[in-house]
Structures are given as structure tokens and as C-alpha cells.
Amino acid sequence: MSPALAVRDVETRELMDDPHADARMLARTYGRFGFVNALVSRPGTLYRRDILPRAERAGRLRILDVGAGGGDLCRLLAGRLRHDGFDAEITALDADERAIRWASAHDRGAGIRYRRALTTELVDAGDTYDVVLSNHVLHHLDEGELQTVLSDSLRLVAPNGLVSHHDIARSRTAHVLFAAATWPISRTLLADSFIREDGLISIRRSYTVAELTAIAPTGWTVRGGLPSRLELRWEEGSARS
């Protein structure tokens, strides 16, 4: 791994996290998340492996997406569940009012519940969910915030439930491939958005499997996957902490 990627870059912040970020570019970024996440996050695998089997058993699911951003993952899950004949109550949670406002305006009939709040507020309200998940959130958090989200996740997940936090795995390969894949469309599809620059920052801020394993609480499992993916996972049967 190159020296620049050998250690997490915890100092550089993503441009879209700036409260004064250009509103037009931010909106375009939210609008392109679905395209980018479909390529790098493999949401179809999440659906087939974890969501659909639980829907088949329970019939109706309560799903919480922590740090939902533009809500693309929530809308995808809602559409697939509806297509397969299942009902779900899906909550898209984000602390950024800008994300919630954009996602609410672009629900497109998905019926998602968009909520601006922190996980601790949901814990205080006594909410529970069959599945608690996130995508590309862990690298935004410092270690204290990470531990809070994980602790809250265990309080929010219902009996026999699942917590599955997905993120990028930091590596030189991930950095090079993302840079190469996004360069040809940086002036077309990704133009006037933060996706390319923030994506490269995200990779530098992300954990490796070994790093995340070292700080994960007891009962959590860290998995690596392709392309350059991480999953921090907890299922019923592991010790609650």
C-alpha cells in the first residue's frame, strides 16, 4: 500500500460534508449516488442474502438505513420488496437536513419515511427494527462516534434481527480503480458533483479489514468482499454489549 494510504486520513473531510457546500452540486451528488452505489456497493447482494430471506420469514420488515444520504438504497429495497410481494416500513435516517430534504422530494412513490435525527434519538424513543444497516457511513465517523452508532444499533435491532454496516475497504487498488473508472465520466455524468473527489477522499478515510476488526466490539464480525468492500455485521445469537 502506498504511504498515502498506509494510514487512515482522518483529517481530510469530504466536500459534501461542508455545511456551506454548493447546493446545486450537492443536489447533483445525491442524484448520482444511485448510479455509483449500484456499481460499487452491490445492493443486490444485500437484498438477496439478507433482506429477502427475512421478508419471506416475517412477511413484513422494519428497516432502518443509518446515514441514508439521498435515500437511493432505501428506494431500491422498497422497490424490490414490493416487486416480490412483500411489505416493508423503511426509515431513511440522516443527521443532515439537506439530505433529508432532497431525499423526501425525490421519493418517487417509494413510501420511505425520511427522518432527520441521530441514532441516539431513536433509541430514546424506543424504536426497533428488523434490519439496521448503513452504507458508506463508517468512514465519516471518528472512533467515539463509531462506537456510539454500534451501541445504538444493538439497542435498535429487534429480536432475531440483523445489523449490517457496509463501507469501502481502504487500499491502493480501490483508490486507483475508482480514480480510473470515474475519470472518463468526470465531465459528463459526474460533472458538477462531489462524487469523484469525495469518493477518493472516502477511500483514504476508510478502514482496512484488520483495522476495523481491531476496534469492533465483542460479538461483531468484520467481512471483506469485492470490490474493496467491508461489512461490520451483528446477528442475533452474538453477545449484546
Side-chain angles (χ1 to χ4, degrees):
M1 192 179 298
S2 67
L5 291 163
V7 179
R8 285 189 69 216
D9 178 1
V10 297
E11 300 299 327
T12 307
R13 297 292 175 179
E14 295 178 28
L15 300 178
M16 66 179 297
D17 289 339
D18 185 341
H20 304 295
D22 182 271
R24 182 178 61 86
M25 291 183 68
L26 187 62
R28 189 168 175 84
T29 300
Y30 290 139
R32 294 296 179 265
F33 273 158
F35 168 76
V36 175
N37 286 332
L39 295 179
V40 303
S41 302
R42 302 179 68 191
T45 300
L46 168 69
Y47 179 74
R48 291 188 300 273
R49 187 188 68 184
D50 292 322
I51 303 299
L52 182 57
R54 283 173 169 77
E56 290 172 338
R57 292 195 298 269
R60 186 175 190 273
L61 292 180
R62 297 191 72 212
I63 300 173
L64 174 67
D65 183 2
V66 179
D72 56 282
L73 178 58
C74 294
R75 291 190 293 275
L76 181 147
L77 294 178
R80 291 203 174 187
L81 285 165
R82 187 177 299 114
H83 176 269
D84 290 333
F86 298 104
D87 187 24
E89 179 184 317
I90 302 178
T91 298
L93 185 75
D94 205 289
D96 194 329
E97 173 63 30
R98 300 171 301 176
I100 294 299
R101 186 168 55 247
W102 189 93
S104 298
H106 294 81
D107 182 69
R108 304 186 186 96
I112 308 301
R113 181 188 183 199
Y114 300 96
R115 183 169 178 184
R116 181 194 181 190
L118 300 172
T119 52
T120 50
E121 296 174 62
L122 273 60
V123 170
D124 291 343
D127 292 355
T128 59
Y129 303 86
D130 302 298
V131 179
V132 177
L133 56 84
S134 72
N135 188 47
H136 294 166
V137 170
L138 301 184
H139 69 266
H140 287 272
L141 311 176
D142 62 34
E143 189 166 340
E145 292 168 336
L146 173 63
Q147 297 300 332
T148 295
V149 168
L150 298 186
S151 177
D152 287 348
S153 295
L154 296 189
R155 291 171 170 81
L156 289 167
V157 70
N160 301 312
L162 167 71
V163 183
S164 181
H165 295 300
H166 295 255
D167 208 345
I168 311 158
R170 189 180 80 255
S171 70
R172 181 178 183 276
T173 298
H175 199 271
V176 169
L177 288 179
F178 185 82
T182 55
W183 172 250
I185 56 175
S186 61
R187 297 187 179 183
T188 54
L189 185 64
L190 302 184
D192 297 321
S193 79
F194 298 121
I195 285 178
R196 188 168 193 273
E197 188 167 354
D198 275 0
L200 294 171
I201 293 171
S202 296
I203 295 169
R204 300 199 301 271
R205 287 187 59 88
S206 296
Y207 294 92
T208 64
V209 170
E211 289 169 346
L212 196 54
T213 299
I215 63 173
T218 301
W220 291 82
T221 301
V222 179
R223 299 178 176 179
L226 296 174
S228 298
R229 301 299 297 166
L230 284 174
E231 181 190 13
L232 183 55
R233 183 182 182 92
W234 184 95
E235 291 184 87
E236 186 67 43
S238 303
R240 287 181 182 260
S241 58

